[in-house]
Amino acid sequence: AGEKKPGEKAPSEKKPSKKKPAEKKPAEQKTGQKEGGEKKKKVKRHHASRNPVLARGIGRYSRSAMYARKALYKRKYTAPETKIEKKKKEKPRATITKPVGGDKNGGSRVVKIRKMPRYYPTEDVPRKLLSHGKKPFCQHKRRLRASITPGTVLILLTGRHRGKRVIFLKQLATGLLLVTGPLAINRVPLRRAHQKFVIATSTKVDISGVKIPKHLTDAYFKKKRLRKPKHQEGEIFDTEKEKYEITEQRKTDQKAVDSQILARIKQVPQLRGYLRSTFCLSNGVYPHKLVF
Amino acid sequence: VFKRFVEIGRIAFISFGPHAGKLVAIVDVIDQNRALVDGPCSGVRRQAMPFKCMQLTDFVLKFPHSARQKCVRLAWEKENINEKWSATRWAKKIAAREKKAKMTDFDRYKVMKAKKMRNRIIKHEMKKLQKMPSKKGKKPEKAQKSEKVQKTQK
């Protein structure tokens, strides 16, 4: 009964489509075009299933019987692939060899390009990647102690300028603090200092109007080193930068910043002498008891 | 031998405990170790307090034993204890100690400079006086010392 219905429908549907062009002209053109287009694209209307259903999921005829009923022996459109053709076919690369550093490591590893999934929908929750939650350094959160604000006098604790009192300017992108002596007062140039190795005093200078040049970034202060071993072992120690030379740009930047700050330092009595002095501990002085 | 006694109306300074640093008047004695104490003008409620945490001061008020807080307050304000207390050396020493503890690094630097300057002046004068072998020496030396004390109290 199911087979007959589509058969009936086909001629009955065609009749009303033929009647329509008599009624309206623009509709006629559209449907006429549609019919023609339909006839060209669609080869045939799809036959209903030739395999009646006995129960859900179970058909009346077997696979081979269906093959015959659907006349698939007539419907072969491509020749089967020969073995030679199969061998010649270019497959996409599955693995890649990558070089590996270190001693006695074998030099290289074979790595899969397309890796096995780490989550199958039958598992409860997708397993997290090993690198989950691990950000690269450039995306780390930078924190600054509340006691350190622009204009605070800091005491440097490490480095060649240890013990010197210095003025804080701003925090750079990597989290290091940009700091200046000023140079004329205690020979500390525009320099980076680490927050952890610094004591923040409660003495502050008003630096609100001071303009710090924008090109003073981490890249500006980064140490430059030659890393190209052109020569062999003989001359390693000569080619790399032995002496640090102060560039003219550093001098002009130093002047530009310091001139603004020195004016403000002069306004506070005794501050200049304070910045010139160094911090030291003596008998009976305990850092945990001092108020900075 | 003893000049300050525990009596009704004696003002005491509390040395330790939750009310450390405040003044109270002894209103009544409870037993060998405790007193009924009240500090209406110093923010101490009327309560029992052990004698051990009290240190007697020179001030005494006049009111009858177990007088109520209003009376204690009147007596306190009449004698102007708060002002008298802050004028004593005891209170000044306490205040100086507190200031010293709060000194910041910059303050310490300023004190160091002031002390240095003061000592220099004193030494200079001393040297001058040592050079002239006469009795005029000691009086002007003391007068100058008291000038420099004012500078260091910053």
Side-chain angles (χ1 to χ4, degrees), chain B residues 129-142:
Chain B
L129 294 168
Q130 276 172 356
K131 280 194 179 170
M132 15 179 238
S134 61
K135 295 165 195 172
K136 297 175 191 174
K138 305 212 169 163
K139 281 186 187 171
E141 172 206 320
K142 278 191 181 171

Side-chain angles (χ1 to χ4, degrees), chain A residues 212-255:
Chain A
I212 301 163
K214 295 211 170 166
H215 58 263
L216 299 176
T217 61
D218 287 292
Y220 177 90
F221 288 106
K222 195 163 172 58
K223 282 188 188 157
K224 282 113 196 165
R225 276 180 192 150
L226 297 169
R227 281 277 165 184
K228 289 177 187 177
K230 295 174 192 172
H231 306 278
Q232 284 162 10
E233 293 168 5
E235 297 183 11
I236 296 177
F237 302 110
D238 294 338
T239 50
E240 297 193 20
K241 249 192 205 174
E242 289 177 341
K243 261 242 149 185
Y244 165 73
E245 275 144 15
I246 310 167
T247 60
E248 285 302 314
Q249 198 198 19
R250 288 244 184 177
K251 290 186 190 173
T252 51
D253 290 331
Q254 186 75 48
K255 267 191 195 173

Side-chain angles (χ1 to χ4, degrees), chain A residues 130-150:
Chain A
L130 230 73
S131 59
H132 177 82
K134 287 170 186 128
K135 291 186 184 169
F137 180 70
C138 56
Q139 288 176 26
H140 283 176
K141 251 193 186 178
R142 318 289 175 192
R143 296 198 171 94
L144 188 60
R145 277 186 272 166
S147 52
I148 301 178
T149 61

Side-chain angles (χ1 to χ4, degrees), chain A residues 1-14:
Chain A
E3 293 166 36
K4 286 186 183 175
K5 279 183 184 176
E8 285 173 358
K9 271 188 183 176
S12 63
E13 281 190 32
K14 282 185 183 174

Side-chain angles (χ1 to χ4, degrees), chain A residues 155 165 202-203 269-270 273-274 290-291, chain B residues 101-106 108-110 113:
Chain A
I155 301 176
R165 298 184 171 102
S202 50
T203 319
Q270 295 190 301
Y274 176 57
L290 289 180
V291 169
Chain B
K102 276 190 201 167
M103 263 203 292
T104 71
D105 198 41
F106 192 20
R108 259 172 264 132
Y109 170 79
K110 288 190 227 169
K113 283 287 174 185

Side-chain angles (χ1 to χ4, degrees), chain A residues 7 30 51 53 72 81 83-84 88 120 126 129 134 140 146 160 178 185 192 213 215 222 233 235 253 260 285-286 289:
Chain A
K30 277 189 185 175
N51 193 357
V53 170
L72 293 175
E81 212 178 50
K83 280 191 183 176
I84 300 169
K88 282 192 185 172
Y120 290 101
L129 285 173
K134 287 170 186 128
H140 283 176
R160 55 171 53 218
L178 177 60
I185 294 181
R192 294 187 293 175
H215 58 263
K222 195 163 172 58
E233 293 168 5
E235 297 183 11
D253 290 331
Q260 298 174 61
V285 176
Y286 306 110
K289 289 208 161 173

